[in-house]
Amino acid sequence: MTAVLFVCLGNICRSPLADGVFRQHVQAARLTDRFEIDSAGCGGWHTGELPDKRSIAVAQAHGIDISDQRARQIHIDDFDRFDLILGLDRDNVRHLTAMQPAGSRAKVALYLEDALGMAKNVPDPYYGGTADFEAVYRLCEKASAGLLKSLISA
Ligand code: 4NP
């Protein structure tokens, strides 16, 4: 069992997409019993909220339902519950690294770097438009394939 946590700033735009798209890849590979998948935000402003309407819409357009997700803030216990905690951008990774208790289980890494060897942020689409959300989806699609491949062969 591998437990993977996707973390962005608010847990309403990017990490719910990263979670939903990775979940779809895992389901398509019939590996649901091998993964625990969740998402969280560095901040708690949106705790309990549904993903942003624009994230729900872009996921829906690609046949993925993320409307069952609810935002939550990263918690100190997550560093022992998860094997891999992926920050969607470098600010997220800095926040996670600063918070990680010494000797805890999780490996903290930058999402696109860990998944694809691409040392790049997933840009925050919150103040953007539909095209920005579509761009996040496309990055998540590529990253999920790379991530699943590397976790299966690990
Ligand atoms: P996310 O996007 O980190 O991809 O969920 C954001 C959502 C909300 C805010 C910032 C980024 N906010 O400032 O409330």
Side-chain angles (χ1 to χ4, degrees):
M1 179 66 105
T2 304
V4 186
L5 180 67
F6 300 99
V7 179
C8 62
L9 182 58
N11 192 210
I12 55 168
C13 298
R14 291 167 294 174
S15 57
L17 278 171
D19 174 327
V21 175
F22 185 61
R23 210 174 276 275
Q24 190 205 39
H25 280 252
V26 166
Q27 279 165 5
R30 300 184 183 280
L31 293 172
T32 44
D33 54 342
R34 294 218 351 226
F35 289 94
E36 186 187 332
I37 303 161
D38 195 9
S39 71
C42 292
W45 316 284
H46 297 281
T47 297
E49 292 178 17
L50 272 75
D52 188 284
K53 283 193 195 71
R54 298 162 295 176
S55 285
I56 293 179
V58 76
Q60 197 63 51
H62 294 279
I64 301 173
D65 182 10
I66 60 165
S67 65
D68 60 334
Q69 294 189 39
R70 296 294 179 272
R72 73 170 181 93
Q73 188 170 18
I74 181 88
H75 188 271
I76 206 84
D77 294 347
D78 290 322
F79 293 92
D80 280 309
R81 278 184 53 209
F82 291 88
D83 299 291
L84 186 57
I85 302 184
L86 296 173
L88 277 275
D89 68 29
R90 287 188 183 83
D91 287 341
N92 308 146
V93 172
R94 260 193 293 277
H95 182 96
L96 293 166
T97 304
M99 198 183 160
Q100 177 161 30
S104 53
R105 163 182 167 198
K107 170 187 163 188
V108 171
L110 183 64
Y111 178 58
L112 294 179
E113 188 163 31
D114 195 73
L116 297 171
M118 249 166 72
K120 267 185 57 178
N121 294 334
V122 175
D124 185 349
Y126 189 61
Y127 295 104
T130 306
D132 301 292
F133 281 79
E134 182 63 32
V136 172
Y137 171 83
R138 279 200 304 274
L139 287 171
C140 290
E141 186 59 39
K142 280 192 203 137
S144 295
L147 187 58
L148 185 56
K149 204 168 150 195
S150 76
L151 289 175
I152 287 172
S153 61

mmCIF file of all heavy atoms in Angstrom, residues 7-9 41-45 73-76 79 85 87 89-101 108:
data_model
loop_
_atom_site.group_PDB
_atom_site.id
_atom_site.type_symbol
_atom_site.label_atom_id
_atom_site.label_comp_id
_atom_site.label_asym_id
_atom_site.label_seq_id
_atom_site.Cartn_x
_atom_site.Cartn_y
_atom_site.Cartn_z
ATOM 1 N N VAL A 7 -0.709 18.340 -2.302
ATOM 2 C CA VAL A 7 -0.909 19.558 -1.497
ATOM 3 C C VAL A 7 -0.683 20.819 -2.330
ATOM 4 O O VAL A 7 0.362 20.976 -2.971
ATOM 5 C CB VAL A 7 0.051 19.568 -0.275
ATOM 6 C CG1 VAL A 7 -0.132 20.849 0.537
ATOM 7 C CG2 VAL A 7 -0.193 18.351 0.612
ATOM 8 N N CYS A 8 -1.686 21.719 -2.328
ATOM 9 C CA CYS A 8 -1.510 23.046 -2.935
ATOM 10 C C CYS A 8 -1.768 24.092 -1.850
ATOM 11 O O CYS A 8 -1.638 23.792 -0.671
ATOM 12 C CB CYS A 8 -2.402 23.208 -4.168
ATOM 13 S SG CYS A 8 -4.172 23.085 -3.840
ATOM 14 N N LEU A 9 -2.123 25.302 -2.241
ATOM 15 C CA LEU A 9 -2.313 26.357 -1.227
ATOM 16 C C LEU A 9 -3.690 26.252 -0.569
ATOM 17 O O LEU A 9 -3.800 26.164 0.657
ATOM 18 C CB LEU A 9 -2.102 27.726 -1.876
ATOM 19 C CG LEU A 9 -2.223 28.948 -0.961
ATOM 20 C CD1 LEU A 9 -1.243 28.869 0.204
ATOM 21 C CD2 LEU A 9 -1.988 30.231 -1.762
ATOM 22 N N GLY A 41 -4.563 21.353 1.738
ATOM 23 C CA GLY A 41 -4.035 22.685 1.451
ATOM 24 C C GLY A 41 -3.054 23.119 2.524
ATOM 25 O O GLY A 41 -3.171 22.698 3.680
ATOM 26 N N CYS A 42 -2.099 23.962 2.139
ATOM 27 C CA CYS A 42 -1.209 24.545 3.159
ATOM 28 C C CYS A 42 -2.031 25.436 4.087
ATOM 29 O O CYS A 42 -1.784 25.504 5.285
ATOM 30 C CB CYS A 42 -0.111 25.381 2.492
ATOM 31 S SG CYS A 42 1.051 24.378 1.555
ATOM 32 N N GLY A 43 -3.007 26.144 3.523
ATOM 33 C CA GLY A 43 -3.875 27.026 4.307
ATOM 34 C C GLY A 43 -5.222 26.372 4.580
ATOM 35 O O GLY A 43 -5.607 25.421 3.902
ATOM 36 N N GLY A 44 -5.933 26.893 5.581
ATOM 37 C CA GLY A 44 -7.216 26.309 5.970
ATOM 38 C C GLY A 44 -8.423 27.174 5.638
ATOM 39 O O GLY A 44 -9.526 26.894 6.088
ATOM 40 N N TRP A 45 -8.238 28.200 4.796
ATOM 41 C CA TRP A 45 -9.332 29.161 4.504
ATOM 42 C C TRP A 45 -10.554 28.506 3.906
ATOM 43 O O TRP A 45 -11.665 28.997 4.041
ATOM 44 C CB TRP A 45 -8.865 30.260 3.538
ATOM 45 C CG TRP A 45 -7.537 30.832 3.846
ATOM 46 C CD1 TRP A 45 -7.250 31.735 4.848
ATOM 47 C CD2 TRP A 45 -6.301 30.539 3.181
ATOM 48 N NE1 TRP A 45 -5.909 31.999 4.829
ATOM 49 C CE2 TRP A 45 -5.309 31.299 3.835
ATOM 50 C CE3 TRP A 45 -5.954 29.707 2.115
ATOM 51 C CZ2 TRP A 45 -3.966 31.253 3.447
ATOM 52 C CZ3 TRP A 45 -4.625 29.660 1.720
ATOM 53 C CH2 TRP A 45 -3.651 30.422 2.386
ATOM 54 N N GLN A 73 -6.998 21.234 5.636
ATOM 55 C CA GLN A 73 -5.637 21.759 5.779
ATOM 56 C C GLN A 73 -4.692 20.612 6.137
ATOM 57 O O GLN A 73 -5.083 19.671 6.824
ATOM 58 C CB GLN A 73 -5.619 22.820 6.893
ATOM 59 C CG GLN A 73 -4.302 23.559 6.992
ATOM 60 C CD GLN A 73 -4.379 24.766 7.919
ATOM 61 O OE1 GLN A 73 -5.289 24.874 8.745
ATOM 62 N NE2 GLN A 73 -3.433 25.680 7.789
ATOM 63 N N ILE A 74 -3.455 20.720 5.628
ATOM 64 C CA ILE A 74 -2.417 19.737 5.998
ATOM 65 C C ILE A 74 -2.284 19.693 7.532
ATOM 66 O O ILE A 74 -2.379 20.730 8.196
ATOM 67 C CB ILE A 74 -1.069 20.093 5.327
ATOM 68 C CG1 ILE A 74 0.050 19.101 5.660
ATOM 69 C CG2 ILE A 74 -0.613 21.514 5.655
ATOM 70 C CD1 ILE A 74 0.144 17.927 4.759
ATOM 71 N N HIS A 75 -2.098 18.486 8.050
ATOM 72 C CA HIS A 75 -1.994 18.292 9.499
ATOM 73 C C HIS A 75 -0.673 17.579 9.791
ATOM 74 O O HIS A 75 -0.197 16.796 8.957
ATOM 75 C CB HIS A 75 -3.185 17.447 9.971
ATOM 76 C CG HIS A 75 -3.293 17.336 11.454
ATOM 77 N ND1 HIS A 75 -2.662 16.342 12.161
ATOM 78 C CD2 HIS A 75 -3.935 18.103 12.350
ATOM 79 C CE1 HIS A 75 -2.924 16.513 13.448
ATOM 80 N NE2 HIS A 75 -3.696 17.571 13.594
ATOM 81 N N ILE A 76 -0.131 17.817 10.935
ATOM 82 C CA ILE A 76 1.172 17.257 11.305
ATOM 83 C C ILE A 76 1.167 15.718 11.206
ATOM 84 O O ILE A 76 2.163 15.108 10.813
ATOM 85 C CB ILE A 76 1.589 17.784 12.706
ATOM 86 C CG1 ILE A 76 3.094 17.789 12.879
ATOM 87 C CG2 ILE A 76 0.895 17.081 13.835
ATOM 88 C CD1 ILE A 76 3.742 19.011 12.316
ATOM 89 N N PHE A 79 2.328 13.608 7.978
ATOM 90 C CA PHE A 79 3.716 13.249 7.681
ATOM 91 C C PHE A 79 4.050 11.815 8.105
ATOM 92 O O PHE A 79 5.066 11.272 7.685
ATOM 93 C CB PHE A 79 4.681 14.266 8.309
ATOM 94 C CG PHE A 79 4.562 15.624 7.674
ATOM 95 C CD1 PHE A 79 3.704 16.584 8.198
ATOM 96 C CD2 PHE A 79 5.273 15.932 6.519
ATOM 97 C CE1 PHE A 79 3.564 17.829 7.596
ATOM 98 C CE2 PHE A 79 5.138 17.170 5.905
ATOM 99 C CZ PHE A 79 4.284 18.123 6.449
ATOM 100 N N ILE A 85 4.318 12.991 -0.059
ATOM 101 C CA ILE A 85 3.533 14.230 0.006
ATOM 102 C C ILE A 85 4.083 15.153 -1.074
ATOM 103 O O ILE A 85 5.258 15.547 -1.040
ATOM 104 C CB ILE A 85 3.605 14.899 1.405
ATOM 105 C CG1 ILE A 85 3.110 13.921 2.488
ATOM 106 C CG2 ILE A 85 2.789 16.178 1.424
ATOM 107 C CD1 ILE A 85 3.056 14.506 3.908
ATOM 108 N N GLY A 87 3.988 18.597 -3.179
ATOM 109 C CA GLY A 87 3.566 19.990 -3.265
ATOM 110 C C GLY A 87 3.420 20.373 -4.734
ATOM 111 O O GLY A 87 4.295 20.059 -5.546
ATOM 112 N N ASP A 89 3.462 23.370 -6.031
ATOM 113 C CA ASP A 89 4.476 24.361 -6.417
ATOM 114 C C ASP A 89 5.549 24.468 -5.331
ATOM 115 O O ASP A 89 5.435 23.853 -4.268
ATOM 116 C CB ASP A 89 3.843 25.716 -6.793
ATOM 117 C CG ASP A 89 3.210 26.448 -5.609
ATOM 118 O OD1 ASP A 89 3.664 26.277 -4.455
ATOM 119 O OD2 ASP A 89 2.249 27.212 -5.844
ATOM 120 N N ARG A 90 6.566 25.230 -5.627
ATOM 121 C CA ARG A 90 7.709 25.296 -4.711
ATOM 122 C C ARG A 90 7.362 25.937 -3.374
ATOM 123 O O ARG A 90 7.942 25.586 -2.356
ATOM 124 C CB ARG A 90 8.877 26.055 -5.369
ATOM 125 C CG ARG A 90 9.568 25.266 -6.453
ATOM 126 C CD ARG A 90 10.821 25.999 -6.927
ATOM 127 N NE ARG A 90 11.456 25.281 -8.026
ATOM 128 C CZ ARG A 90 11.103 25.368 -9.298
ATOM 129 N NH1 ARG A 90 10.105 26.161 -9.649
ATOM 130 N NH2 ARG A 90 11.737 24.667 -10.229
ATOM 131 N N ASP A 91 6.434 26.906 -3.382
ATOM 132 C CA ASP A 91 6.005 27.496 -2.100
ATOM 133 C C ASP A 91 5.365 26.425 -1.221
ATOM 134 O O ASP A 91 5.595 26.375 -0.007
ATOM 135 C CB ASP A 91 4.988 28.627 -2.320
ATOM 136 C CG ASP A 91 5.636 29.875 -2.875
ATOM 137 O OD1 ASP A 91 6.873 30.009 -2.757
ATOM 138 O OD2 ASP A 91 4.902 30.727 -3.425
ATOM 139 N N ASN A 92 4.561 25.566 -1.846
ATOM 140 C CA ASN A 92 3.924 24.475 -1.100
ATOM 141 C C ASN A 92 4.989 23.545 -0.524
ATOM 142 O O ASN A 92 4.902 23.125 0.640
ATOM 143 C CB ASN A 92 2.986 23.646 -1.991
ATOM 144 C CG ASN A 92 1.963 24.452 -2.756
ATOM 145 O OD1 ASN A 92 1.604 24.093 -3.875
ATOM 146 N ND2 ASN A 92 1.482 25.548 -2.192
ATOM 147 N N VAL A 93 5.998 23.216 -1.332
ATOM 148 C CA VAL A 93 7.063 22.311 -0.878
ATOM 149 C C VAL A 93 7.831 22.940 0.290
ATOM 150 O O VAL A 93 8.133 22.270 1.275
ATOM 151 C CB VAL A 93 8.016 21.925 -2.036
ATOM 152 C CG1 VAL A 93 9.224 21.144 -1.525
ATOM 153 C CG2 VAL A 93 7.270 21.106 -3.081
ATOM 154 N N ARG A 94 8.095 24.253 0.181
ATOM 155 C CA ARG A 94 8.792 24.953 1.286
ATOM 156 C C ARG A 94 7.979 24.881 2.567
ATOM 157 O O ARG A 94 8.510 24.617 3.648
ATOM 158 C CB ARG A 94 9.016 26.426 0.915
ATOM 159 C CG ARG A 94 10.434 26.710 0.411
ATOM 160 C CD ARG A 94 10.712 28.203 0.361
ATOM 161 N NE ARG A 94 9.898 28.873 -0.645
ATOM 162 C CZ ARG A 94 10.205 28.921 -1.946
ATOM 163 N NH1 ARG A 94 11.309 28.363 -2.384
ATOM 164 N NH2 ARG A 94 9.404 29.521 -2.803
ATOM 165 N N HIS A 95 6.683 25.125 2.441
ATOM 166 C CA HIS A 95 5.787 25.063 3.609
ATOM 167 C C HIS A 95 5.821 23.658 4.230
ATOM 168 O O HIS A 95 5.942 23.505 5.450
ATOM 169 C CB HIS A 95 4.362 25.428 3.165
ATOM 170 C CG HIS A 95 3.353 25.443 4.270
ATOM 171 N ND1 HIS A 95 2.986 26.587 4.921
ATOM 172 C CD2 HIS A 95 2.646 24.433 4.845
ATOM 173 C CE1 HIS A 95 2.093 26.293 5.855
ATOM 174 N NE2 HIS A 95 1.865 24.992 5.834
ATOM 175 N N LEU A 96 5.732 22.646 3.374
ATOM 176 C CA LEU A 96 5.704 21.256 3.847
ATOM 177 C C LEU A 96 7.017 20.866 4.505
ATOM 178 O O LEU A 96 7.032 20.230 5.564
ATOM 179 C CB LEU A 96 5.406 20.313 2.671
ATOM 180 C CG LEU A 96 4.004 20.434 2.065
ATOM 181 C CD1 LEU A 96 3.933 19.730 0.716
ATOM 182 C CD2 LEU A 96 2.958 19.864 3.025
ATOM 183 N N THR A 97 8.123 21.266 3.883
ATOM 184 C CA THR A 97 9.446 20.918 4.408
ATOM 185 C C THR A 97 9.666 21.565 5.778
ATOM 186 O O THR A 97 10.202 20.937 6.692
ATOM 187 C CB THR A 97 10.531 21.369 3.416
ATOM 188 O OG1 THR A 97 10.239 20.778 2.153
ATOM 189 C CG2 THR A 97 11.912 20.929 3.848
ATOM 190 N N ALA A 98 9.214 22.809 5.910
ATOM 191 C CA ALA A 98 9.383 23.537 7.183
ATOM 192 C C ALA A 98 8.550 22.894 8.292
ATOM 193 O O ALA A 98 8.901 22.945 9.467
ATOM 194 C CB ALA A 98 8.984 24.996 7.002
ATOM 195 N N MET A 99 7.438 22.278 7.887
ATOM 196 C CA MET A 99 6.491 21.725 8.860
ATOM 197 C C MET A 99 6.811 20.277 9.238
ATOM 198 O O MET A 99 6.383 19.792 10.280
ATOM 199 C CB MET A 99 5.124 21.775 8.154
ATOM 200 C CG MET A 99 3.951 21.662 9.029
ATOM 201 S SD MET A 99 2.465 21.661 7.992
ATOM 202 C CE MET A 99 1.366 20.916 9.201
ATOM 203 N N GLN A 100 7.556 19.592 8.383
ATOM 204 C CA GLN A 100 7.762 18.142 8.568
ATOM 205 C C GLN A 100 8.521 17.815 9.847
ATOM 206 O O GLN A 100 9.639 18.295 10.059
ATOM 207 C CB GLN A 100 8.518 17.552 7.371
ATOM 208 C CG GLN A 100 8.802 16.061 7.559
ATOM 209 C CD GLN A 100 9.130 15.340 6.271
ATOM 210 O OE1 GLN A 100 9.683 15.929 5.350
ATOM 211 N NE2 GLN A 100 8.797 14.069 6.212
ATOM 212 N N PRO A 101 7.943 16.987 10.719
ATOM 213 C CA PRO A 101 8.648 16.582 11.935
ATOM 214 C C PRO A 101 9.865 15.708 11.587
ATOM 215 O O PRO A 101 9.784 14.889 10.670
ATOM 216 C CB PRO A 101 7.621 15.758 12.707
ATOM 217 C CG PRO A 101 6.295 16.061 12.088
ATOM 218 C CD PRO A 101 6.577 16.416 10.656
ATOM 219 N N VAL A 108 8.782 14.264 1.022
ATOM 220 C CA VAL A 108 8.161 15.489 0.499
ATOM 221 C C VAL A 108 8.877 15.867 -0.786
ATOM 222 O O VAL A 108 10.109 15.881 -0.831
ATOM 223 C CB VAL A 108 8.259 16.643 1.525
ATOM 224 C CG1 VAL A 108 7.816 17.973 0.912
ATOM 225 C CG2 VAL A 108 7.430 16.338 2.771
#
